[in-house]
């Protein structure tokens, strides 16, 4: 065999070794197990394992940091919410404390007022305790004021019935007021005076004029200070005339009456002579009643001077000279003369606290506005 033939057969054998036939075993590179599964099951080499481990630690550290930040924020939020709640509870406790204090003050005030009104009413002292029985006549004398006839008469009767009272004292500080209220009190004093059980003394403080003097004249004796204002024995009616003003403004006054003189004191209508004469006769007659009652109370102690009943008001010293008062002294001096010591009990009925508050408010408002209100058009009142 030649060399060429020998090389050819050798090449054929080598080619037959490289390409297997179909009935031979499958190639392990193409028909073997799945490479991906082997890769998962195969442990990583040193370099690959070290890189994967570092990446996992970095991911774990970032996640841990985020979790720690979230927990820190939640803890800070919890502390803030807790502080807010604590402050709110503290604020509520202080509010509750102050509200309870205010409630306690109100309850104490109400209890004190109720005690004074219902339980601390002035009562007759023990028979062995000698004292002056005081009745206050303060302020304007009208039916809707503290110095009204019903209240003063009630105090007079309580003071008169006290067995320990050596004398009844009318403590007067008033410019006067309603003729009817004054006449009622005057009549009650005269009734008690006629019984002769104990003396009734009128003590005038700053002022005892007009209707207040009307009341005082019924007492057994009148005491005043040297600077007290006394007298003003007269009657007054005051009003306004707006007929010109209403015409200038252009307002029509509409008044309907049954009786031609029913609106004779209408301030928006002119006052004619007949109406003026009639109204003056009313004033004059009321004044005469005043004069007669003062003369009945004072008797021969009064001066014959015509000025006594002219409506003038006098000082205490001048009133003493005119017989309008009997003595210049104070309440303390009267108490020492009658009792031996400055001891007296107030028998004036107490006012309702709410009524007292409303009266004080209306009186203050009237003083600020320069207004005075009375139901009676006529007044025994100093101006």
């Amino acid at each position: 065999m030649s060399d060429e033939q020998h090389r050819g057969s050798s090449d054929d054998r080598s080619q037959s070794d490289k390409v297997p036939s179909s009935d031979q075993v499958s190639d392990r590179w193409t028909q073997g197990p799945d490479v991906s599964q082997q890769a998962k099951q195969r442990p990583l080499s040193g370099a690959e394992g070290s890189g994967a481990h570092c990446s996992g630690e970095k991911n774990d550290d970032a996640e841990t940091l985020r979790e720690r930040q979230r927990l820190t924020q939640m803890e800070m939020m919890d502390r803030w919410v807790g502080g807010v709640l604590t402050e709110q509870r503290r604020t509520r406790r202080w509010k509750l404390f102050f509200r309870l204090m205010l409630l306690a003050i109100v309850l104490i005030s109400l209890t004190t007022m109720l005690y004074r009104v219902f339980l601390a009413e002035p009562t007759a002292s023990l028979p062995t305790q000698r004292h002056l029985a005081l009745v206050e006549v303060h302020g304007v004398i009208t039916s809707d004021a503290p110095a009204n006839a019903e209240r003063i008469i009630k105090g007079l009767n309580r003071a008169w019935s006290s067995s320990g009272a050596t004398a009844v004292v009318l403590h007067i500080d008033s410019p006067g007021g309603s003729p009817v209220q004054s006449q009622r009190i005057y009549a009650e004093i005269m009734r008690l005076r006629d019984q002769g059980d104990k003396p009734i003394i009128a003590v005038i403080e700053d002022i005892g004029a007009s209707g207040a003097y009307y009341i005082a004249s019924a007492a057994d004796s009148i005491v005043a200070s040297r600077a007290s204002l006394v007298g003003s024995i007269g009657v007054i009616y005051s009003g306004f005339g707006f007929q010109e003003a209403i015409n200038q403004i252009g307002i029509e006054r509409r008044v309907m009456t049954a009786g031609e003189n029913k609106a004779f004191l209408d301030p928006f209508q002119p006052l004619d002579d007949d109406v003026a004469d009639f109204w003056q006769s009313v004033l004059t007659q009321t004044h005469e009643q005043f004069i007669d009652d003062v003369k009945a109370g004072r008797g021969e102690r009064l001066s014959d001077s015509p000025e006594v009943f002219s409506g003038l008001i006098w000082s205490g010293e001048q009133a003493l000279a005119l017989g309008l008062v009997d003595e210049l002294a104070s309440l303390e001096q009267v108490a020492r003369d009658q009792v031996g010591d400055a001891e007296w009990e107030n028998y004036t009925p107490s006012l309702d606290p709410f009524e007292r508050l409303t009266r004080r408010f209306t009186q203050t408002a009237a003083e600020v506005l320069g207004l005075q209100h009375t139901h009676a058009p006529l007044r025994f009142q100093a101006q």
Side-chain angles (χ1 to χ4, degrees):
M1 178 180 299
S2 63
D3 294 333
E4 293 179 356
Q5 289 176 345
H6 181 73
R7 284 195 296 272
S9 60
S10 298
D11 291 336
D12 292 337
R13 283 194 301 269
S14 62
Q15 289 294 332
S16 63
D17 293 335
K18 293 179 180 179
V19 179
S21 61
S22 59
D23 55 353
Q24 291 179 340
V25 180
S26 299
D27 189 355
R28 67 184 181 88
W29 298 106
T30 59
Q31 301 298 327
D34 188 8
V35 177
S36 62
Q37 294 295 330
Q38 292 180 358
K40 291 180 180 180
Q41 295 175 0
R42 182 170 57 89
L44 295 175
S45 62
E48 293 176 350
S50 176
H53 179 70
C54 291
S55 176
E57 285 182 353
K58 291 180 180 179
N59 292 335
D60 290 345
D61 290 343
E63 183 66 25
T64 302
L65 181 60
R66 285 194 295 271
E67 182 66 19
R68 288 178 178 175
Q69 289 177 348
R70 186 175 67 83
L71 293 175
T72 303
Q73 291 174 354
M74 291 180 64
E75 184 179 358
M76 292 176 63
M77 182 63 70
D78 290 340
R79 286 200 298 268
W80 180 78
V81 172
V84 171
L85 294 176
T86 302
E87 186 64 27
Q88 287 180 348
R89 285 193 295 268
R90 186 180 297 113
T91 303
R92 283 197 297 268
R93 284 195 294 267
W94 279 110
K95 285 183 179 180
L96 181 61
F97 171 76
F98 285 117
R99 287 174 181 172
L100 290 174
M101 287 292 295
L102 179 61
L103 180 61
I105 293 172
V106 171
L107 290 176
I108 292 172
S109 301
L110 288 175
T111 303
T112 303
M113 286 190 296
L114 291 174
Y115 172 79
R116 289 179 179 176
V117 171
F118 298 106
L119 299 178
E121 285 279 337
T123 57
S125 302
L126 295 175
T128 57
Q129 184 180 357
R130 300 174 69 249
H131 63 277
L132 291 182
L134 206 68
V135 179
E136 304 280 358
V137 183
H138 286 183
V140 179
I141 304 169
T142 61
S143 60
D144 60 344
N148 60 77
E150 181 179 358
R151 182 167 177 257
I152 294 172
I153 290 172
K154 183 178 179 180
L156 281 170
N157 288 313
R158 293 174 59 186
W160 186 264
S161 62
S162 174
S163 58
T166 60
V168 176
V169 173
L170 284 165
H171 193 212
I172 297 174
D173 190 0
S174 169
S178 164
V180 174
Q181 298 292 305
S182 302
Q183 288 173 348
R184 287 179 59 189
I185 300 169
Y186 174 93
E188 184 65 18
I189 296 172
M190 292 295 288
R191 184 186 72 82
L192 296 175
R193 176 179 167 181
D194 291 339
Q195 294 180 11
D197 185 29
K198 60 192 67 174
I200 300 176
I201 305 171
V203 177
I204 297 176
E205 286 289 333
D206 292 312
I207 184 170
S210 204
Y213 186 78
Y214 197 131
I215 294 171
S217 66
D220 292 294
S221 61
I222 301 176
V223 177
S225 297
R226 291 183 299 168
S228 299
L229 297 178
V230 183
S232 186
I233 301 173
V235 187
I236 184 174
Y237 164 78
S238 60
F240 297 93
F242 298 107
Q243 64 272 14
E244 296 296 333
I246 198 173
N247 292 332
Q248 292 178 2
I249 297 174
I251 298 175
E252 180 185 0
R253 173 74 166 166
R254 297 175 181 175
V255 179
M256 293 179 289
T257 63
E260 58 181 350
N261 294 316
K262 184 63 178 177
F264 74 96
L265 293 178
D266 188 345
F268 297 100
Q269 298 294 333
L271 185 65
D272 57 35
D273 294 338
D274 292 337
V275 170
D277 292 341
F278 166 76
W279 195 236
Q280 185 60 53
S281 68
V282 173
L283 298 179
T284 301
Q285 187 178 45
T286 308
H287 188 207
E288 290 174 354
Q289 296 171 1
F290 194 167
I291 295 172
D292 292 340
D293 287 339
V294 170
K295 287 181 177 180
R298 298 297 297 167
E300 296 180 354
R301 290 172 289 184
L302 281 174
S303 170
D304 294 333
S305 173
E307 291 185 339
V308 171
F309 305 111
S310 66
L312 290 175
I313 191 166
W314 317 90
S315 69
E317 288 184 329
Q318 292 171 323
L320 180 63
L322 293 171
L324 294 171
V325 302
D326 300 292
E327 184 182 356
L328 297 179
S330 64
L331 178 61
E332 289 78 11
Q333 290 173 315
V334 172
R336 292 188 185 99
D337 293 340
Q338 294 290 327
V339 183
D341 196 1
E343 292 289 339
W344 58 77
E345 293 288 337
N346 192 345
Y347 287 82
T348 313
S350 298
L351 292 173
D352 179 78
F354 179 75
E355 182 181 5
R356 187 184 309 166
L357 179 63
T358 54
R359 286 184 190 279
R360 182 168 297 179
F361 174 78
T362 54
Q363 289 174 359
T364 302
E367 290 176 0
V368 170
L369 298 175
L371 302 175
Q372 291 181 341
H373 172 71
T374 177
H375 293 301
L378 299 182
R379 292 196 302 276
F380 293 155
Q381 187 169 343
Q383 296 297 308

